[in-house]
Amino acid sequence: MENQFINQTAIITGAGQGIGFEIARQIAMQGGAVLLNDIDAAMATRAAAVISAMGGKCHPFPGDASDVDFIQQMVDEAVRKFGFVTIVIANAGITSYGEFLDFKPENLKSVIDLNLFGSFFLAQKAAIQIKKQGGAGSILLMSSVTGHQAHKNLAAYGMTKAALEMLAKSLVLELSPLNITVNAVAPGATATERTLEDQDYEKTWSRITPMGRPGTVEDVANAVLFLVSPRSRHITGQTIIVDGGWAATSPSPY
């Protein structure tokens, strides 16, 4: 549906590349204004420039999406630049591999700080802003199939992703009266710049995914766009798994 995001402003974290970038690109190409965040300043600037060159309205705002002061600055900048905020997508996250018996406290803290603390307070600060505007908006939390199925060396990461899905459910109670929907998307194996650094990634996940291939960034973005679009205004507290059926069978890639 073309231009379904006219008169919408989206904040998207971790959007310098991969899934976040594709979400930002599609929202901008469909009429929305995007505040594009990434901790890598050069990557954020480059990504926003690419979208702007395609005719989209996209403003880079690099920084640490786990820092509550910076989160407030993101919301304030979106309002300053575009006038309001209606969509927030907490896409930034850390994947930290490690055996449970050897996992370090500092590694757990970094995963929790970005995946949970950052997502929680981005949702909070955005909801406060949307309430000031009179209500109506969408919050999307980026989960993972590892929040549904055990995965080797990803206990900490999977724990945070399962928690985000519970957050989406919990916020229904407080944010529905403000006409704010809160949902989550849980990608499975997805071909991105980062995952394809593993030369065997596509072959391995094509073999064990029932649909015969890993997901694309477009596959995940399509689910996200539906949940933050006007077409899903009566859907809230839900999680959509986008994994080609892997979670139904869960064969190990190892």
Side-chain angles (χ1 to χ4, degrees):
M1 182 183 295
E2 292 188 6
N3 296 326
Q4 65 176 331
F5 295 109
I6 285 178
N7 298 324
Q8 303 284 325
T9 295
I11 297 173
I12 307 172
T13 61
Q17 64 179 1
I19 292 169
F21 173 78
E22 180 61 19
I23 295 167
R25 187 190 70 81
Q26 288 202 36
I27 288 177
M29 291 298 96
Q30 294 180 43
V34 174
L35 186 86
L36 189 152
N37 161 263
D38 201 280
I39 197 166
D40 185 320
M43 190 174 288
T45 301
R46 185 166 56 248
V50 169
I51 293 171
S52 296
M54 298 173 69
K57 191 181 295 184
C58 188
H59 177 60
F61 200 71
D64 182 358
S66 71
D67 180 87
V68 69
D69 291 331
F70 176 75
I71 289 167
Q72 184 62 61
Q73 291 169 24
M74 274 198 296
V75 174
D76 292 343
E77 179 70 3
V79 173
R80 186 194 70 80
K81 185 72 177 178
F82 302 119
F84 52 88
V85 175
T86 53
I87 297 169
V88 172
I89 297 167
N91 176 70
I94 294 175
T95 307
S96 185
Y97 292 89
E99 293 186 7
F100 171 70
L101 296 179
D102 298 323
F103 211 76
K104 306 298 183 188
E106 58 269 24
N107 293 339
L108 180 60
K109 185 177 186 304
S110 67
V111 173
I112 290 175
D113 281 353
L114 183 55
N115 295 10
L116 287 184
F117 189 91
S119 297
F120 183 100
F121 283 104
L122 178 59
Q124 182 198 70
K125 300 304 182 185
I128 291 170
Q129 175 59 37
I130 293 170
K131 181 180 180 181
K132 287 179 183 177
Q133 297 165 185
S138 299
I139 295 170
L140 191 288
L141 307 173
M142 193 61 73
S143 181
S144 165
V145 289
T146 62
H148 293 260
Q149 299 291 344
H151 202 287
K152 184 180 179 182
N153 294 333
L154 282 177
Y157 178 75
M159 174 183 71
T160 65
K161 294 302 185 177
L164 287 174
E165 296 184 16
M166 191 63 229
L167 178 61
K169 289 183 180 181
S170 298
L171 293 184
V172 168
L173 295 171
E174 295 187 62
L175 299 187
S176 293
L178 301 176
N179 200 18
I180 298 173
T181 64
V182 189
N183 293 292
V185 166
T190 307
T192 67
E193 295 92 336
R194 180 178 60 83
T195 60
L196 291 179
E197 291 176 1
D198 176 358
Q199 294 183 349
D200 295 326
Y201 187 86
E202 193 161 11
K203 180 180 179 181
T204 297
W205 285 98
S206 293
R207 175 175 55 82
I208 64 175
T209 299
M211 292 299 289
R213 63 171 177 83
T216 65
V217 293
E218 292 86 358
D219 291 326
V220 180
N222 288 341
V224 170
L225 264 65
F226 170 68
L227 288 173
V228 299
S229 76
R231 292 178 290 171
S232 60
R233 294 308 306 166
H234 205 57
I235 299 173
T236 192
Q238 304 303 309
T239 297
I240 294 179
I241 300 175
V242 184
D243 71 344
W246 179 82
T249 56
S250 305
S252 173
Y254 300 106

